[in-house]
Amino acid sequence: MFQNYDRGPRHGGGCPFEGRGRGGRGGADVLGELRAQHPGAQLLFVGAVNCLRHKPFSAAAEAMRRGELSLLCPSMTDFASGRYLRQVRDAVAELAAERGAKEFVVLFGCQWVILSTDADLLAQELADELGVTVSFFDDSHLVHGDHA
């Protein structure tokens, strides 16, 4: 269920639509790659609002306009308390109902890694509760060592 789409050893940034992207590729390439690997899937970025500073807003805004991408920015209190997990469930349920999505790719960052989020358990719970398929895209800075 957990997927890490590695795009090369010279990763220059940690967020999914960061202008420089991995391996020197643009962030829009990452979104395109995810859409190609998961046609029709709803992309859901879950991360702290400060993570948005890494993204070229044009790529994210265009994907949002097309209804392919949504943003969920839990507070630090939400992450610390575990409330973000319920927020993800609620967001997936809402998007499934509104957009008829049956497949989701949840893009996440450093907070999920630090908190050791059990992505497989969350995916199973969402499948059981909502009948959707969820995979995860780990694009955290911590995993890729770009803060060394």
Side-chain angles (χ1 to χ4, degrees):
M1 201 59 63
F2 172 81
Q3 297 180 23
N4 183 353
Y5 303 102
D6 188 21
R7 287 172 301 287
R10 301 236 353 128
H11 176 254
C15 287
F17 5 90
E18 186 167 351
R20 52 196 162 125
R22 295 183 187 209
R25 292 182 6 202
D29 288 346
V30 174
L31 291 177
E33 183 178 321
L34 287 171
R35 284 193 304 269
Q37 292 179 4
H38 300 276
Q42 176 67 41
L43 305 178
L44 175 62
F45 172 77
V46 181
V49 71
N50 61 324
C51 292
L52 296 174
R53 75 185 189 281
H54 295 292
K55 297 163 185 43
F57 291 102
S58 60
E62 187 57 38
M64 290 172 70
R65 263 191 295 279
R66 289 190 306 264
E68 298 170 348
L69 171 70
S70 299
L71 305 177
L72 174 61
C73 296
S75 70
M76 290 299 108
T77 302
D78 295 330
F79 280 114
S81 68
R83 211 169 24 229
Y84 74 104
L85 296 170
R86 174 52 52 199
Q87 292 170 335
V88 170
R89 285 186 189 97
D90 291 347
V92 169
E94 183 177 327
L95 290 167
E98 283 182 7
R99 299 184 182 170
K102 289 293 183 189
E103 182 181 2
F104 290 82
V105 177
V106 175
L107 302 95
F108 65 89
C110 300
Q111 299 86 2
W112 285 53
V113 175
I114 291 169
L115 296 171
S116 298
T117 302
D118 189 338
D120 291 333
L121 178 61
L122 180 58
Q124 186 60 54
E125 289 174 353
L126 291 168
D128 293 346
E129 291 174 25
L130 304 172
V132 298
T133 302
V134 181
S135 55
F136 296 86
F137 178 86
D138 179 359
D139 207 19
S140 67
H141 292 286
L142 299 176
V143 171
H144 303 294
D146 59 339
H147 282 308

